[in-house]
Every structure is written in C-alpha cells, then in structure tokens.
Amino acid sequence: MAVFPLPQLEDNAVLLPSSQTNSTQPQLCDVWRDIQGAHNWNGLLDPMVPNLKAEALRYGNLAQLCYDAFDGKSYSKNYGTCYHSKRDLFNKMGMSESGYQVTKYVYANTNLLNQVFGEKPKDQGVWLGFIAVCTDPNEIRRLGRRDIVIAWRGTQTAEEWIEDLRDILVPTRLSSRCKRTGKNQEHHFADGVLIERGFLSCYTSTVRHRQGAAGATVNISTRDLVVSEIERLIQVYEKEMDNLIITFTGHSLGAALATLSAYDIKQMLCTKHNFHQIPVTVFAFASPPVGNLAFAKRVEEIGVKVLRFVNKRDLVPKVPGVCMNENVGCLSKLLHWLPWTYFHVGVELPLHNNSPFIQHTHNLAYFHNLELYLHLLDGYVGSKQPFSWSGRDHALVNNSCDLLREKYEIPPKWWQEQNKGLVKGPDGKWTQPSEEE
C-alpha cells in the first residue's frame, strides 16, 4: 500500500487545529434544520460554519462515490452499470461507517447518455446513482433526523458538457402512474415553467427495470422509479415525519438532475396531506442552470432549498444560457419567455482556486472536477479568507486528474477498480464477474 507524504503548507495556507474548529460549534442534531437551509443559509456561509462544511462534504462524497463505483470501461461486459450490489456498495467503496443503506439504484436511458457511453439497446439504462436511507441509530442521533438521500452521477468531463448541452428550454409535462387505477396522472405545475430539454429527457427516459427475486423486468421511467421509491420510504417512516428529510446531491449533470428531481418530489409532497412539511434540500456541485425564471421562482415558492457550489473558473455552471441568464439583469427578465433564457436557483457559494496544493493548469476541464470542488470546499473559510486546509486527504484531488503539485508525489489519475475489475476464479483464471444484484 502506497504511503503518501504529508502535505507541507505554504505561507498563504493555514491549518486549523480541530480544537479550534469544533469546540464552540453546536451539536449538529440541534441545528440540522438551519444546516439544511431552513433559513436559506443566512449567516452560515461567510464565514462558513464547520457543521455546514462537514455536511456539504459528506454529501459531496456521496456524489463522488457515484463516479468511483461506475463501470465506464467500454470493454467491460457490465459497461454502464455499478461495480457493486446495493447491499455491498458502501462497504466496497470504503464507506461502511456511513450509517446509510442503499434501497434503490437509479438508471436512465437517453440520447444524451448514449452519445457519451456508446450505442446501447433501446431499453437498457445507464447507472446514474442511488437512493439510500440512514438506518444506523447512532448516526440518526448525530444527525438529529432520518435522512433519505438521492445521489446522482454526472458526465465525466467539461468537453462532454460543451458537446451535449446545446439545447433549449421546453415545458414540463410530468406525470406518474397511479398504482390503484394504472392510469397516468398529470401534475399541475406553475404556468410558464420551462426545463432544459436534455435534463428533462434524461429524467423521464424509460428503462427496463428488474423487480423482485424472480428477476422479472418492467418498463418504467427514471422519474417513476425515483418517485415510487421516495413514496415507499415516506410510508415506512411516516411516524418519524417531524424529523424526516429528503436530501439530493450531485455533480454536473447529476446536480441538474438533483435539482429537477427535488423540484418534482416537493411538488408531489405538496399534494399529499401532512407530507408538505418534509424538508427537501439540494447540495449541488458545478450545476448548470436547469430552467427559466418561472422555474427558479417556483422552486423557491414550494420551499426547495438549493445550495450550489461553483468553482469560479469552471465553465459548466455558465452553460446552457451563457448569453442569456440572470446576470444580464433587466434584459433577461424582459426576455424570460425565450427558450434559451436560463436562471439559476437557490443560493450560490463561489469557490476560489486559492489552494497552495494545486499547480497552475490550462486544462479547463480540471476546474470542473468534483474532487477539486471538495478540496476547495475543505479549505474554504470565507470569501475573503485564504485557503485553510481542514484535513481532507489531498491525494484525492488527483483521483481522476493531474492537479497536485509534483512535490506531493501523488500520481495523476490514480483511481481505478482493483485489478480493473477482474477476479481470479477457483481454476486460477482471471475473468470479468457477472453484474452484482
């Protein structure tokens, strides 16, 4: 096992002892509603309170897990799936102490994803994330709540975004199948709400989904899969309604899908008796704008809390809508009806590339990397404060890129599945395992 050298901080970086950062902050269980955005994170961001940073990093790790556990090797017979089963995901990915249990995998199937991952059968979806629930009693006590989390994976590089996200806004026409009648029921959303067509197509795409121990498959949309699982979990924990929350997280495309699905789920909750009080929060990393002004207003009206982390040098949060967005001012509001006028939602936290660990680079794609986001967040204290390393392993920055300075002796793009996914059988031969259930 490789032993990486301890980082040597430079003059413009500060290491805060844990006794200074944690001694005076309140228990998370006492302030979790504020940490989840009950008051739009007022007074918590600049400077950032340690509880909020820790929670944001925790959800960011779940989004990163979606990348690390994804089989994106074109030569693999399990291409486009997760390396591990729902039962083993956290254990195999080194997160056995998370306190969460995966209840459902999420798949999608759209032309957008097929362009990235190659031609696939029409009904075969690509693994895009998971739904999990906190089940460990000690972790529930620490959090102060029962947390249902939905983590979405994004595309891999900024180049893929620039190629794929050249689309327009379209009306949202979301419906779900009634279990009692078997008929589709339309959700009556606010007039004028428009969503980027690629995101909506991904969220409503239909895949073949395996159900039950017998392995029977049915056609189901990504959206119906998510909504039905959330409804099921709410019914399971209905007696804990006062301390139940639904948290979405994702990076890049995953952040856009997290925002869209959070909006959809909150709309569903608002139509059900006593469910409207369940908080819905999004921790979004490098999210592009998802919809128009009406969408942004509706997200705020129904109470979805969105905290967006944005690297100042990342291009993805600026597209689509690079020429017409909320930063244009009055002109964008006058032309909000155009199918290419985008507005971001929620609260934005800009992250500055002021880390002494990072070397200078002209590779713009690296500024979109999620591990870089988490590294910058780890060192973030306030908008005018220098980078202050809090102890997150700096080696993770080079997980899938080459950004660390050479003196730290961390190889670039070092993350890979052990033996590239091959396993040695009883006969001594190395083969690719079958997809785990």
Side-chain angles (χ1 to χ4, degrees):
M1 178 178 178
V3 178
F4 298 126
L6 291 175
Q8 296 179 359
L9 300 181
E10 301 185 359
D11 293 339
N12 61 340
V14 181
L15 176 58
L16 294 179
S18 58
S19 60
Q20 292 184 18
T21 59
N22 297 322
S23 60
T24 59
Q25 67 171 322
Q27 296 276 335
L28 176 60
C29 59
D30 296 327
V31 296
W32 70 265
R33 293 185 184 275
D34 289 329
I35 298 301
Q36 294 291 124
H39 299 98
N40 296 314
W41 296 282
N42 288 332
L44 303 180
L45 298 176
D46 195 6
M48 176 173 266
V49 300
N51 270 327
L52 176 56
K53 179 191 290 189
E55 283 295 273
L57 287 171
R58 191 170 66 87
Y59 287 114
N61 287 335
L62 294 177
Q64 180 63 43
L65 182 150
C66 293
Y67 284 115
D68 295 340
F70 176 68
D71 188 348
K73 304 186 299 292
S74 58
Y75 56 81
S76 172
K77 66 180 180 181
N78 298 321
Y79 181 53
T81 66
C82 180
Y83 283 123
H84 310 296
S85 67
K86 296 190 297 291
R87 181 184 63 256
D88 295 333
L89 179 63
F90 288 131
N91 288 334
K92 293 290 183 67
M93 298 305 296
M95 300 179 69
S96 59
E97 303 299 320
S98 69
Y100 285 74
Q101 178 182 343
V102 177
T103 65
K104 184 72 68 175
Y105 275 169
V106 179
Y107 297 84
N109 180 26
T110 69
N111 290 332
L112 170 69
L113 294 176
N114 284 342
Q115 290 173 15
V116 178
F117 300 113
E119 292 299 322
K120 299 177 73 67
K122 184 177 180 181
D123 59 356
Q124 183 176 345
V126 173
W127 186 72
L128 215 55
F130 61 87
I131 301 173
V133 61
C134 186
T135 56
D136 180 74
N138 292 329
E139 182 67 1
I140 292 173
R141 278 192 294 270
R142 188 187 73 85
L143 296 176
R145 64 195 187 273
R146 172 84 67 176
D147 187 30
I148 299 172
V149 65
I150 299 91
W152 294 89
R153 181 182 55 78
T155 47
Q156 301 289 345
T157 67
E159 289 87 350
E160 293 170 353
W161 271 108
I162 294 171
E163 176 62 26
D164 292 328
L165 297 183
R166 296 184 296 182
D167 223 322
I168 62 173
L169 294 160
V170 295
T172 53
R173 302 185 184 279
L174 300 177
S175 62
S176 59
R177 184 176 296 277
C178 177
K179 294 181 180 179
R180 183 175 58 83
T181 65
K183 297 181 179 180
N184 286 337
Q185 296 177 323
E186 288 286 340
H187 286 271
H188 300 289
F189 290 163
D191 292 337
V193 169
L194 302 177
I195 303 294
E196 199 274 341
R197 182 163 58 186
F199 304 149
L200 189 62
S201 173
C202 183
Y203 186 52
T204 57
S205 64
T206 300
V207 297
R208 294 286 290 176
H209 179 65
R210 187 179 299 168
Q211 289 186 331
T217 58
V218 296
N219 287 324
I220 186 171
S221 74
T222 302
R223 175 182 180 268
D224 283 347
L225 188 152
V226 172
V227 171
S228 62
E229 181 64 9
I230 295 300
E231 288 181 325
R232 185 188 73 82
L233 290 174
I234 290 176
Q235 291 175 356
V236 170
Y237 301 109
E238 189 171 2
K239 294 182 179 179
E240 303 176 31
M241 196 70 66
D242 291 340
N243 292 292
L244 182 66
I245 187 171
I246 305 173
T247 309
F248 294 78
T249 189
H251 169 258
S252 196
L253 168 66
L257 292 174
T259 302
L260 175 55
S261 54
Y263 162 74
D264 187 23
I265 292 297
K266 188 62 175 180
Q267 287 277 176
M268 179 269 291
L269 295 176
C270 289
T271 65
K272 296 182 180 294
H273 181 63
N274 290 336
F275 286 6
H276 66 278
Q277 68 189 48
I278 300 176
V280 174
T281 300
V282 182
F283 288 91
F285 298 85
S287 178
V290 178
N292 65 348
L293 177 60
F295 173 73
K297 287 183 175 179
R298 185 57 181 162
V299 167
E300 183 177 359
E301 288 173 0
I302 62 178
V304 177
K305 304 300 180 179
V306 183
L307 182 56
R308 293 183 297 105
F309 299 91
V310 177
N311 185 335
K312 297 284 283 185
R313 299 189 65 182
D314 186 3
L315 296 179
V316 170
K318 299 179 176 64
V319 293
V322 65
C323 297
M324 189 61 67
N325 54 58
E326 68 270 14
N327 295 322
V328 180
C330 295
L331 181 60
S332 62
K333 293 183 179 180
L334 288 173
L335 301 178
H336 66 88
W337 50 270
L338 292 173
W340 53 80
T341 304
Y342 287 81
F343 283 77
H344 272 297
V345 302
V347 177
E348 177 177 309
L349 180 67
L351 298 174
H352 302 276
N353 292 273
N354 59 350
S355 168
F357 295 92
I358 305 303
Q359 62 184 338
H360 295 291
T361 180
H362 297 290
N363 189 333
L364 296 180
Y366 284 169
F367 295 116
H368 184 58
N369 185 278
L370 177 54
E371 282 291 3
L372 175 60
Y373 267 77
L374 299 179
H375 174 72
L376 296 178
L377 176 58
D378 177 66
Y380 178 84
V381 178
S383 60
K384 298 181 180 180
Q385 300 296 318
F387 183 93
S388 179
W389 183 59
S390 299
R392 180 180 173 83
D393 188 356
H394 65 290
L396 294 171
V397 174
N398 272 10
N399 173 300
S400 59
C401 65
D402 185 12
L403 275 174
L404 286 176
R405 294 186 177 184
E406 290 186 3
K407 67 179 183 179
Y408 298 122
E409 302 178 0
I410 306 298
K413 302 180 180 180
W414 56 266
W415 173 265
Q416 66 178 26
E417 184 72 359
Q418 185 176 11
N419 300 319
K420 293 190 175 181
L422 294 181
V423 296
K424 192 174 185 179
D427 58 358
K429 296 181 179 180
W430 291 86
T431 60
Q432 292 187 27
S434 301
E435 180 181 356
E436 294 187 57
E437 296 298 327

